[in-house]
Amino acid sequence: MHLSPDEMIFWQYGFITLNGTIVFTWGLMAVLVIGSKLITRRLATGLTRSRWQNLLEIVVTGIETQIAEVGLAQPRTYLPFLGTLFLFVAAATLATIIPGYEPPTGSLSTTTALALCVLVAVPAFGIADQGLAGYLKSYLEPTFLMLPFNIISEVTRTLALAVRLFGNMMSGAMIIAILITITPFLFPILMTVLGLLTGMVQAYIFSILAAVYIAAATRTRTRTPEPEAALPA
Amino acid sequence: MLIDWFTVGAQAINFLVLVWLLKRFLYQPILHAIDERERRIAAELADAAAKQAAAQTERESFEHKNQAFDEQRATLFSQAVDEAKTERQRLLGEARQAADALAAQRAESLRSEAKQLNQAILLRTQHEVFLIARKALSDLAGADLEERMVQRFISRLSAMDVAALSVFADALTTASDPACIRSAFELRESARAALTQAIHSTFGVPPKIRFETTPELLGGIELTANGQKIAWDIADYLASLEQGVGELLNAKGQPAATPATAPASTPAP
């Protein structure tokens, strides 16, 4: 019984450790990339297309629509980052139905890594969108007194992202493991189904929150001209 | 410790690699395919709209042409009807004229035929009448027709009034040529002698007489001298017969002539 797949050590040399988290992540990456490669190898641009292509189009356009609904004007700019966040977390959750598999998102190391990526990506997108000065100025809004709170907010929300995902995924796996020892029959299956649902919701929440943070960092400039544009000519 | 910082770094790198790989193998191809399809659909829609516009234009053009064609057809039809009517009137007129001409020709032919028939009947009748009269006289009274006719002529001479007698006597005496007695038949010697005797006794002068036979004389005898003429023939008897035959021919010719003119006078449908 592992609290985290980090504890599954396959190979170790000094501080370099090949643990379950990394191995399962590679597995998921291989499935996602090879599956995508196989399906997109022969893409049809006509009116008829394969079912797999249809599935991928639904997924990609669904993610794009969600990003646009959050308020990002150019969803395709953020699609690779946010879409991969969602797909990775969702795939990690869906794979829990495979016996012997432990989701890498159940490791606080993974969720921390993802949260750190978001922590870096938010200012990166913000700076790319409105420049360094414009982005840094957003920390002083509405007044410079809010600067410490804004910085604290940046850090804590990253921590919250990491811990929320880790807690949910880890607790799901733990509950199932405990239930299997107590009631080894139908109840663990129901909890697995519930875990799938929870995992999908967490994947959605994680990626949507990331999108909201990015939107908050990039929206400032686009919002500014609105009152002027609303003035009568 | 729940966080293994090596794992954190490795996972961050893994995630960034996954982002790149999925961008390379998933998002870009899929989005490209979608864009391509949308472009294609837009192009097809634009093409369809252009074709529809062209079809609409063509349809309007065809409708105009159809309308013009209908009008032209109606005009031509009307012209054709008028021409046919005119031609019909012309042909009817010609037919009527031809029928009238034919009827007139036929009536003329009928008249001519009737005239010839009349003439033939007259001659035949004369001939038959002579035959009958001759036979009847011979059978019933043992008399000769020619002799009776000579006697009848002689009795007529004697029945003439005085004025006429003197006029004719002058003619006989002043005539340089001999007087001429014409008859439809050859007179026998006894008859000639009786006639010469009768003329002599009637007019009181010895006549110089020349005898001629003229079949057209309708079975009569006439005496001419210096432009004066005394005659007896059976023309009066035959006149009533001729009139009866003429009425009969007219009655037969009338129904035959009527149908010939009927088609011309019948109004055409």
Side-chain angles (χ1 to χ4, degrees):
Chain A
M1 178 66 206
H2 307 290
L3 190 61
S4 162
D6 285 2
E7 296 169 14
M8 296 170 67
I9 306 292
F10 293 103
W11 180 80
Q12 190 167 19
Y13 180 77
F15 71 96
I16 301 171
T17 311
L18 193 63
N19 54 30
T21 305
I22 296 172
V23 170
F24 287 133
T25 300
W26 284 350
L28 286 176
M29 285 169 67
V31 169
L32 285 172
V33 172
I34 293 171
S36 299
K37 174 67 182 165
L38 287 177
I39 295 170
T40 58
R41 193 174 46 182
R42 283 192 301 272
L43 282 179
T45 55
L47 294 177
T48 55
R49 51 195 180 272
S50 68
R51 295 178 181 181
W52 287 109
Q53 182 183 345
N54 226 3
L55 174 70
L56 285 194
E57 285 186 8
I58 289 169
V59 169
V60 171
T61 52
I63 294 170
E64 193 181 1
T65 308
Q66 286 296 321
I67 294 171
E69 284 179 0
V70 168
L72 289 166
Q74 301 288 333
R76 291 197 178 184
T77 310
Y78 314 103
L79 178 64
F81 182 75
L82 295 172
T84 307
L85 268 182
F86 174 78
L87 287 179
F88 177 66
V89 177
T93 304
L94 287 176
T96 52
I97 57 170
I98 300 169
Y101 166 84
E102 287 195 26
T105 46
S107 154
L108 189 57
S109 303
T110 306
T111 56
T112 305
L114 295 179
L116 286 175
C117 286
V118 174
L119 178 69
V120 173
V122 169
F125 282 123
I127 291 166
D129 191 59
Q130 52 185 344
L132 181 62
Y135 174 71
L136 291 177
K137 197 181 168 188
S138 66
Y139 282 93
L140 301 174
E141 288 178 351
T143 68
F144 70 93
L145 292 175
M146 294 299 288
L147 176 64
F149 301 103
N150 280 332
I151 294 170
I152 291 170
S153 161
E154 285 288 321
V155 176
T156 51
R157 76 188 184 188
T158 305
L159 187 65
L161 267 183
V163 173
R164 182 189 300 113
L165 181 59
F166 162 70
N168 276 287
M169 299 309 293
M170 184 270 288
S171 63
M174 288 296 289
I175 287 167
I176 291 164
I178 294 166
L179 282 176
I180 285 173
T181 59
I182 299 171
T183 55
F185 293 110
L186 290 175
F187 202 59
I189 296 173
L190 289 175
M191 290 312 293
T192 304
V193 173
L194 185 63
L196 285 176
L197 178 66
T198 313
M200 295 303 292
V201 171
Q202 287 308 314
Y204 179 72
I205 288 173
F206 198 95
S207 50
I208 283 294
L209 281 178
V212 168
Y213 298 154
I214 294 170
T218 57
R219 194 180 289 174
T220 316
R221 196 177 63 174
T222 53
R223 189 184 278 176
T224 313
E226 282 180 9
E228 294 174 6
L231 286 174
Chain B
M1 181 63 181
L2 288 174
I3 298 178
D4 177 11
W5 288 107
F6 171 74
T7 309
V8 170
Q11 287 296 76
I13 292 167
N14 279 340
F15 177 73
L16 293 176
V17 169
L18 184 62
V19 168
W20 183 79
L21 286 173
L22 285 187
K23 184 181 177 185
R24 170 86 171 71
F25 293 116
L26 179 64
Y27 304 121
Q28 279 181 348
I30 291 288
L31 290 175
H32 179 262
I34 291 172
D35 289 346
E36 191 65 29
R37 182 180 306 120
E38 283 177 353
R39 263 199 299 277
R40 205 159 154 175
I41 290 171
E44 282 177 8
L45 283 176
D47 187 43
K51 279 182 181 167
Q52 195 176 5
Q56 182 67 26
T57 312
E58 204 158 333
R59 184 184 161 186
E60 284 172 2
S61 159
F62 271 118
E63 278 177 356
H64 282 137
K65 280 183 186 170
N66 262 352
Q67 198 174 356
F69 178 70
D70 285 345
E71 286 172 1
Q72 193 180 3
R73 190 180 59 177
T75 311
L76 286 176
F77 187 72
S78 165
Q79 276 180 4
V81 167
D82 289 345
E83 284 174 7
K85 211 176 275 180
T86 313
E87 182 68 10
R88 180 170 166 271
Q89 292 298 332
R90 190 183 66 78
L91 288 175
L92 274 177
E94 281 183 2
R96 197 170 286 131
Q97 284 176 358
D100 289 346
L102 204 64
Q105 191 181 351
R106 187 173 171 186
E108 183 59 36
S109 156
L110 199 66
R111 266 197 301 277
S112 162
E113 198 178 335
K115 198 172 176 182
Q116 288 174 1
L117 189 64
N118 208 5
Q119 192 66 30
I121 286 171
L122 202 60
L123 289 173
R124 183 66 182 267
T125 305
Q126 176 192 357
H127 184 66
E128 291 296 329
V129 164
F130 275 123
L131 283 179
I132 291 167
R134 187 180 290 120
K135 190 165 176 55
L137 281 173
S138 163
D139 288 349
L140 297 176
D144 183 63
L145 176 65
E146 286 76 13
E147 189 181 341
R148 289 297 308 155
M149 287 174 78
V150 169
Q151 286 175 7
R152 176 75 184 133
F153 183 74
I154 291 167
S155 64
R156 179 152 187 196
L157 284 180
S158 56
M160 283 174 70
D161 55 19
V162 179
L165 280 176
S166 64
V167 168
F168 206 85
D170 289 345
L172 279 176
T173 52
T174 58
S176 56
D177 294 333
C180 180
I181 290 181
R182 290 195 187 87
S183 61
F185 45 85
E186 186 69 31
L187 292 174
R188 286 195 290 268
E189 279 304 319
S190 58
R192 289 183 181 190
L195 279 170
T196 306
Q197 179 62 35
I199 288 167
H200 187 196
S201 60
T202 303
F203 300 107
V205 287
K208 292 179 282 184
I209 293 174
R210 179 166 54 89
F211 290 93
E212 286 181 7
T213 303
T214 308
E216 291 79 21
L217 211 55
L218 291 179
I221 300 172
E222 70 174 22
L223 166 66
T224 54
N226 203 21
Q228 298 293 320
K229 184 171 89 172
I230 299 169
W232 179 89
D233 59 22
I234 61 169
D236 291 339
Y237 302 154
L238 292 177
S240 63
L241 177 62
E242 186 182 358
Q243 190 181 356
V245 171
E247 284 172 1
L248 184 65
L249 283 174
N250 283 337
K252 278 196 174 182
Q254 203 64 29
T258 308
T261 55
S265 59
T266 306

